[in-house]
Amino acid sequence: MLFNPLRRYIILPIKRKRRTILNNSNALLAEFEQSWINFLSKKTYLTYRDDDHLKSMFSKNHELIILPWYLQFFAFKLKRKLAENREQASQIYNDEIKDYNKEFIKKRLARYKKFFDGTDGKPLNEEQRLAIVRDDIHNIVVAGAGSGKTEVLTKRIAYLTKRPDKVKPERILALAFQNKAASEISERLKQKYKTNVEVKTFHKLGNDILNHPNLMFSGNNTDNQQKKFIKEIFDGFLTKRDFQNKVINYMKLYSDSEVVKTEEDFTTKEDYYKYKRLLKYIALESPPIKSEAEREIINFFITHNLNGKKLTICYEDEAEWMKYKNSDGKEIVPKPDFFFPDYNIYLEHWAIDKNGKVPDWFEGENPTEEYTKGINLKKAKFKSQKKYTLIETTYAESKKRYFLKVIENKLITALKTKYPEQEFVFTEISYKELVDRVWDECKKSTNHLPDNIKDFIVNAKVHDLTSKEISKRLSKEKWSAKQSAFAEIANIIFEEYTKRLRASNSIDFNDMINLAIKKLNKEKSLLQDKFDHILVDEYQDISMQRYNLIKSLLKKNTGCKLFCVGDDW
């Protein structure tokens, strides 16, 4: 009676545990062997998915050898049997699975040697042959231009239809970027290999998925049609003053860099200060100038007439009458910022903040003190004569919202003081007059704005962005002033462009792919289990839009293999 609890609660549970472990090991080994037998019956390439599955079962079999502590000293037969199972699994894995693909490729290369040698005197090299025979889930062939990538893709398609585990032509989808390339691959397959596989462009595939939608631009000259359509919209908006102002704002920033650099972009403060000191700004009609505030000032006078006439303005001209000797006895000829020769008025923009300090990147042992000395010397020169008048502005003032109105009022006050019998009025010039007035590069850029907006719209469509999404990005992300100014203009046109397409129940070239992706994702049965292989030519030109189309197709076709060829650049 004393031994019954021992048998019941210790010996029997241990026996059951040993039996369970052994049964699990035997079952796992049997499953492992059967999986391998099933795979071998397919006579095909071992993909990484199949390999991972087999590896997983092999690893589990190995894990079972680690027994619970209470079986370590009382399960010698179990240990031996588990070791035998492990050895059997190891033998299969190491002797057959591990080198399977190497042997498979070797046999296929030998079997299809004649096919790869070809009949045109241009046999494929070893790397090209390997690229065709290797058959994993995702395959990419990367090589330089002119190295025969498209021939590899073409031969791969032919090979798929001829090998023992042959693929039906209708279950192969080949994609090219241009109609010409698609036609050439299709013709080569027919003539050289008697294989009828349709090769499509991404847009043709999109068109087929959408079942021939109403295209706004069609025929052989779609690019020019789209440009003309966008220019009509742009010209219509250009009759509105607020839109003109947006274009003028872009023109003012035309020469700016599109990269926004801040102190965080530099390793040291010295590098940042050097960058700030070397920065130059281009106004609508002037030589390079030294600060954004100065550019704002000169742009105001370029975009406005005084009493109906263009105001003559000189930037940093030498003022001989102001020359003086510094503490070292060296003669200095000052160059005041702006001079209005018709009225003998100077405008000096002092680079000082509300505390009278200069920016950190100014050079010198005590830059604020040195700069202030220069200001005082210049002011003293103006006080010592009566011919010239001085107007002053500061960096601190330039940060105020109504800075340009301050400039206008200061100049008018100076003019009225100097010429009390006259009236002075600034008026904004027309958009057409301004375009005629600005420098040639800026004028050229303005004339090309509709073409640039067309590229903007195409890029937005390629990334499947709406005008609302772009507005959101502009408000939340970091962009240069130039990028924001252009995007604001382009996005207005993009919104109107979209409205007009909707109104006529039409789509454009890029909508074909975007809407095809949406339709594929929405309709479960559409192209479901339709393809076993998708092949893509010129993969280096892939866009997010085309990538998403391929991705949607692969989701619809489980087990479908992807093969891409592309340049190494």
Side-chain angles (χ1 to χ4, degrees):
M1 295 295 288
L2 289 172
F3 290 101
N4 281 341
L6 181 68
R7 177 180 174 78
R8 183 177 179 183
Y9 294 109
I10 296 176
I11 295 171
L12 290 177
I14 286 175
K15 281 184 177 181
R16 281 196 295 271
K17 184 65 177 176
R18 283 190 308 211
R19 198 160 45 243
T20 301
I21 291 171
L22 184 57
N23 288 343
N24 286 345
S25 177
N26 289 338
L28 199 57
L29 177 62
E31 187 188 350
F32 179 61
E33 288 175 327
Q34 192 56 51
S35 293
W36 182 233
I37 290 164
N38 291 344
F39 174 78
L40 287 174
S41 67
K42 297 176 188 174
K43 297 180 180 176
T44 191
Y45 189 87
L46 180 66
T47 68
Y48 73 87
R49 282 181 191 161
D50 288 325
D51 192 31
D52 282 351
H53 176 63
L54 290 164
K55 267 183 193 172
S56 172
M57 285 192 286
F58 175 62
S59 298
K60 282 177 186 173
N61 205 301
H62 268 55
E63 285 164 16
L64 286 174
I65 201 73
I66 304 165
L67 297 173
W69 63 270
Y70 53 84
L71 291 179
Q72 289 294 333
F73 305 104
F74 306 103
F76 301 111
K77 283 184 182 179
L78 175 62
K79 280 185 180 181
R80 189 176 68 250
K81 183 57 183 167
L82 290 176
E84 285 171 7
N85 285 356
R86 185 181 66 172
E87 182 59 34
Q88 198 172 333
S90 295
Q91 199 172 357
I92 294 169
Y93 187 78
N94 292 321
D95 295 352
E96 297 183 47
I97 298 174
K98 222 171 183 180
D99 293 324
Y100 173 82
N101 276 342
K102 193 190 284 185
E103 289 303 312
F104 174 86
I105 289 167
K106 192 176 174 183
K107 286 174 186 174
R108 281 287 170 96
L109 289 176
R111 180 171 180 172
Y112 288 91
K113 184 180 183 303
K114 193 175 177 183
F115 174 72
F116 292 135
D117 285 345
T119 55
D120 54 3
K122 294 178 183 176
L124 297 184
N125 63 35
E126 188 181 350
E127 286 184 337
Q128 290 172 321
R129 294 172 195 231
L130 285 171
I132 291 169
V133 171
R134 283 177 181 147
D135 195 23
D136 223 312
I137 305 294
H138 304 122
N139 311 272
I140 185 160
V141 180
V142 180
S147 58
K149 294 183 300 298
T150 303
E151 178 58 27
V152 166
L153 182 133
T154 309
K155 205 115 182 169
R156 160 89 171 174
I157 295 170
Y159 165 76
L160 291 174
T161 61
K162 295 177 188 302
R163 67 188 194 181
D165 48 330
K166 61 176 65 174
V167 184
K168 291 177 182 177
E170 63 270 20
R171 294 194 64 82
I172 296 172
L173 172 64
L175 295 167
F177 277 77
Q178 303 294 336
N179 283 318
K180 187 183 175 187
S183 300
E184 284 174 1
I185 296 168
S186 190
E187 280 304 305
R188 208 181 298 177
L189 284 166
K190 283 177 193 171
Q191 290 175 14
K192 282 182 76 173
Y193 307 108
K194 311 297 179 211
T195 301
N196 193 19
V197 170
E198 187 180 3
V199 186
K200 301 180 180 184
T201 63
F202 284 87
H203 289 96
K204 172 69 168 66
L205 174 62
N207 186 66
D208 291 348
I209 290 168
L210 295 174
N211 196 17
H212 307 290
N214 181 29
L215 270 175
M216 175 65 90
F217 317 108
S218 56
N220 297 323
N221 208 8
T222 55
D223 197 53
N224 282 338
Q225 288 174 37
Q226 191 180 21
K227 280 181 183 177
K228 188 181 175 186
F229 184 69
I230 289 167
K231 190 172 186 316
E232 283 173 10
I233 297 172
F234 180 82
D235 289 345
F237 271 95
L238 211 48
T239 58
K240 301 172 184 179
R241 188 66 202 180
D242 60 336
F243 187 77
Q244 287 178 7
N245 289 338
K246 291 182 192 301
V247 176
I248 290 166
N249 184 43
Y250 168 72
M251 289 162 67
K252 288 175 181 177
L253 300 163
Y254 169 70
S255 68
D256 278 11
S257 166
E258 291 187 357
V259 179
V260 186
K261 286 191 177 181
T262 61
E263 193 171 338
E264 289 74 36
D265 296 316
F266 296 86
T267 312
T268 64
K269 279 190 175 183
E270 287 71 23
D271 289 339
Y272 174 60
Y273 295 161
K274 186 179 178 183
Y275 162 75
K276 291 295 282 183
R277 283 195 296 271
L278 293 174
L279 271 179
K280 297 289 180 188
Y281 301 87
I282 306 292
L284 290 166
E285 184 195 33
S286 81
I289 51 185
K290 293 175 182 173
S291 74
E292 287 182 271
E294 287 181 356
R295 180 172 64 179
E296 274 194 75
I297 292 166
I298 203 164
N299 277 339
F300 173 81
F301 294 118
I302 292 167
T303 57
H304 289 75
N305 282 339
L306 179 61
N307 292 350
K309 291 181 182 177
K310 183 181 178 182
L311 184 64
T312 304
I313 183 169
C314 305
Y315 180 68
E316 288 198 338
D317 274 8
E318 288 187 346
E320 282 285 337
W321 65 271
M322 287 178 72
K323 64 185 175 185
Y324 61 89
K325 288 183 180 179
N326 64 11
S327 54
D328 297 329
K330 186 181 176 183
E331 192 169 75
I332 304 293
V333 179
K335 293 180 180 180
D337 294 326
F338 303 103
F339 178 48
F340 305 99
D342 295 339
Y343 302 100
N344 286 331
I345 293 176
Y346 284 90
L347 192 160
E348 281 280 27
H349 179 71
W350 310 122
I352 52 175
D353 63 17
K354 61 182 180 181
N355 300 315
K357 290 186 176 180
V358 298
D360 293 339
W361 54 85
F362 271 41
E363 290 182 287
E365 285 183 22
N366 195 334
T368 296
E369 191 180 315
E370 289 171 24
Y371 191 77
T372 307
K373 269 185 192 175
I375 291 175
N376 293 333
L377 281 167
K378 287 178 183 178
K379 284 184 177 182
K381 283 288 178 182
F382 274 103
K383 282 182 181 176
S384 67
Q385 52 79 50
K386 292 184 180 178
K387 183 178 178 181
Y388 301 106
T389 301
L390 172 65
I391 301 170
E392 301 173 76
T393 63
T394 65
Y395 171 78
E397 284 180 306
S398 73
K399 292 298 161 189
K400 292 180 180 175
R401 190 176 172 189
Y402 300 107
F403 176 56
L404 294 178
K405 195 66 185 170
V406 169
I407 298 286
E408 181 183 348
N409 291 339
K410 283 188 177 187
L411 185 55
I412 286 178
T413 302
L415 285 165
K416 285 184 175 178
T417 303
K418 199 158 188 158
Y419 308 98
E421 71 287 352
Q422 292 183 42
E423 282 296 318
F424 296 97
V425 179
F426 277 105
T427 52
E428 198 170 3
I429 64 174
S430 71
Y431 173 78
K432 186 179 180 307
E433 194 177 349
L434 176 62
V435 172
D436 290 339
R437 186 176 284 188
V438 299
W439 51 294
D440 288 343
E441 273 302 310
C442 187
K443 191 182 298 183
K444 200 185 291 180
S445 165
T446 308
N447 292 335
H448 284 135
L449 261 177
D451 289 350
N452 295 335
I453 291 168
K454 182 254 178 190
D455 294 337
F456 174 92
I457 291 171
V458 168
N459 284 329
K461 294 284 186 94
V462 163
H463 291 89
D464 197 17
L465 292 170
T466 64
S467 57
K468 280 184 182 176
E469 287 168 332
I470 291 169
S471 293
K472 202 178 285 183
R473 284 186 63 180
L474 284 168
S475 65
K476 288 185 175 180
E477 297 174 14
K478 185 180 174 184
W479 303 96
S480 72
K482 179 183 178 180
Q483 287 171 326
S484 296
F486 170 76
E488 195 177 349
I489 297 164
N491 213 25
I492 290 168
I493 305 301
F494 181 28
E495 190 175 3
E496 181 63 23
Y497 174 93
T498 305
K499 280 180 189 173
R500 294 197 188 187
L501 258 64
R502 278 192 198 136
S504 61
N505 196 27
S506 302
I507 64 171
D508 68 13
F509 211 49
N510 283 292
D511 285 329
M512 274 200 286
I513 295 179
N514 290 336
L515 294 175
I517 294 166
K518 286 179 173 69
K519 191 175 179 182
L520 279 171
N521 295 338
K522 188 179 177 184
E523 297 181 20
K524 192 180 177 183
S525 61
L526 181 62
L527 297 185
Q528 186 89 25
D529 298 324
K530 169 80 175 164
F531 303 114
D532 293 323
H533 287 265
I534 296 173
L535 301 96
V536 184
D537 193 27
E538 303 292 356
Y539 189 73
Q540 77 280 351
D541 292 331
I542 200 74
S543 62
M544 185 57 72
Q545 182 191 46
R546 291 177 174 95
Y547 165 78
N548 284 331
L549 180 57
I550 295 169
K551 196 176 172 184
S552 296
L553 287 168
L554 290 173
K555 278 183 185 175
K556 292 266 185 175
N557 295 271
T558 338
C560 180
K561 294 182 177 181
L562 179 65
F563 181 90
C564 305
V565 298
D567 280 0
D568 56 1
W569 60 266

